[in-house]
Amino acid sequence: MFSGVGKSTFARKLGERNGIGVTHLDAIYWKPGWVEAPTDEFRGAQQENVQREKWIIEGNYSSSIDIREPLADTVIYLELPLYVCLYRVVKRRIQFHGKTRNDIGKDCPEKIDWTFVKFILTTYKRRKKTMFHRLQHYANEGKTVHVLRNEKQIAGFLNQCTLKRNRR
């Protein structure tokens, strides 16, 4: 998924609706001062989370998808237009200026720089294509896949969604 698409807000609402705790990957990846967590610590936290009876994990980190992928029974993918994502990233920067969001590591005040914006701009199309193939693979495996492409679909999904139990 993409920065600014609304993953964290969506996951929080989904977790509240279903009574399931949410793990935000950014919150376990980023240590105070925007320091990256050691790989074994980051992976270990995810391995611990997927052992729960029910879980919601929100985030992109494809380097550790091998932990979540085999045990997930439902995949929800938000795909909003690039301009919406960029707008939200800028809005979030203004809204949380000098503050740390609750879905990010402790003492990591909101920031935006050209490298981050460039990353969003240059990877958007490629990531959409990659996700299209990945989602097809999940559906072929029998996982439940939801692709939500606008605010109306997202709101409708949240209003009627009750998640099933994760597979073991």
Side-chain angles (χ1 to χ4, degrees), residues 88-98 110-112:
R88 287 180 173 181
V89 166
V90 172
K91 178 183 171 190
R92 183 173 66 198
R93 171 61 174 94
I94 294 167
Q95 181 181 359
F96 289 96
H97 177 72
E110 189 64 28
K111 65 179 184 172
I112 190 172

Side-chain angles (χ1 to χ4, degrees), residues 59-79:
N60 289 330
Y61 300 87
S62 60
S63 64
S64 60
I65 199 165
D66 61 299
I67 296 168
R68 307 178 302 274
E69 194 174 56
L71 297 172
D73 60 24
T74 303
V75 178
I76 304 166
Y77 177 64
L78 308 181
E79 183 181 283

Side-chain angles (χ1 to χ4, degrees), residues 6-106:
K7 296 180 301 294
S8 298
T9 301
F10 178 85
R12 180 181 44 78
K13 289 178 180 179
L14 185 65
E16 289 170 359
R17 169 127 172 91
N18 287 276
I20 302 172
V22 175
T23 299
H24 299 279
L25 292 181
D26 281 343
I28 59 176
Y29 184 78
W30 293 109
K31 298 296 177 192
W34 292 101
V35 174
E36 296 175 15
T39 300
D40 58 337
E41 181 181 324
F42 181 58
R43 291 180 64 84
Q46 290 177 71
Q47 288 165 340
E48 193 175 299
N49 276 283
V50 299
Q51 296 308 311
R52 296 179 184 157
E53 182 179 350
K54 294 182 178 184
W55 48 270
I56 296 172
I57 297 179
E58 171 272 319
N60 289 330
Y61 300 87
S62 60
S63 64
S64 60
I65 199 165
D66 61 299
I67 296 168
R68 307 178 302 274
E69 194 174 56
L71 297 172
D73 60 24
T74 303
V75 178
I76 304 166
Y77 177 64
L78 308 181
E79 183 181 283
L80 297 180
L82 177 59
Y83 73 89
V84 172
C85 296
L86 288 170
Y87 168 77
R88 287 180 173 181
V89 166
V90 172
K91 178 183 171 190
R92 183 173 66 198
R93 171 61 174 94
I94 294 167
Q95 181 181 359
F96 289 96
H97 177 72
K99 300 175 192 165
T100 300
R101 300 186 330 263
N102 61 359
D103 59 337
I104 200 89
K106 184 180 177 187

